[in-house]
Amino acid sequence: MIVRKLRLQRGWSQDQLATLTGLSVRTIQRIEQGQQPGLESLKALAAVFELDVAQLDGSEQQEREMRGSGTMDKNVLQVSMEEQAAMKYVEALKGFYYHAVSYFLVMCGLFVINYLSNPEYIWVWWPALGWGLGLASHGISVYQPFKLFGPEWERRQIEKRLGRKL
């Protein structure tokens, strides 16, 4: 998450960061998804972001937590829970947009094929309906217009099970 935050702060794409570091785009994607980078990758990223490897690795943060030191150093990079949630939401939203665009393009292509091959029977409605339901489900999971099983519901169910307030 730290690498993603630093990359987004500078307005770089994953391709640009890969070019600057000499790493592959897939390596950048893996690191941003939480996979532990190797030392050489950390060195390349630290050089591009003009940081120490320890700052980027988060080892200083882990040492402080182990010692019990609660003081925050300005040089320690952190990604707050709100920032993590926002990044995950934007990633899910981007996935939904890609899904919607691919649905639209494929359905347009299928309508053209249907019209050219058999204009008497419009069969393309069936795949459009099936995929459309999947797209609607994806949209509901991203936008969550119905908060049926949200945090409030969870809290009420736990309190009901415990027989007391949390």
Side-chain angles (χ1 to χ4, degrees):
M1 287 288 185
I2 292 172
V3 172
R4 175 183 262 168
K5 180 179 178 178
L6 292 169
R7 177 180 62 81
L8 292 174
Q9 283 176 344
R10 287 161 176 78
W12 295 340
S13 68
Q14 288 179 337
D15 291 328
Q16 289 171 320
L17 182 57
T19 302
L20 291 170
T21 58
L23 302 172
S24 70
V25 176
R26 184 68 188 126
T27 301
I28 300 295
Q29 291 170 345
R30 286 183 187 136
I31 292 169
E32 286 189 0
Q33 290 173 355
Q35 190 176 28
Q36 186 63 31
L39 184 58
E40 292 301 317
S41 299
L42 270 177
K43 286 180 182 178
L45 289 166
V48 168
F49 291 128
E50 299 173 351
L51 298 170
D52 293 333
V53 174
Q55 286 178 305
L56 197 57
D57 185 25
S59 57
E60 289 179 0
Q61 172 76 20
Q62 292 170 355
E63 287 176 21
R64 251 188 218 92
E65 288 173 1
M66 289 177 72
R67 284 191 308 235
S69 174
T71 60
M72 289 293 293
D73 187 4
K74 292 179 182 176
N75 295 330
V76 175
L77 296 172
Q78 291 184 335
V79 180
S80 70
M81 295 300 283
E82 290 175 340
E83 290 172 333
Q84 287 181 7
M87 287 181 197
K88 287 180 182 178
Y89 175 76
V90 169
E91 192 67 30
L93 189 61
K94 185 170 74 169
F96 173 69
Y97 287 159
Y98 282 136
H99 189 176
V101 168
S102 63
Y103 172 80
F104 177 75
L105 293 175
V106 169
M107 287 305 128
C108 287
L110 286 178
F111 268 107
V112 168
I113 290 170
N114 186 183
Y115 180 74
L116 295 175
S117 65
N118 189 6
E120 297 86 34
Y121 176 66
I122 302 177
W123 52 263
V124 77
W125 293 116
W126 298 110
L129 177 65
W131 193 355
L133 290 173
L135 181 64
S137 173
H138 192 172
I140 288 171
S141 72
V142 170
Y143 289 108
Q144 297 180 352
F146 315 110
K147 305 237 186 224
L148 296 177
F149 301 111
E152 275 297 312
W153 178 84
E154 286 181 39
R155 184 186 54 78
R156 284 194 312 269
Q157 293 303 315
I158 292 170
E159 288 174 351
K160 182 176 160 185
R161 179 78 178 175
L162 292 173
R164 62 179 171 85
K165 295 275 184 189
L166 277 178

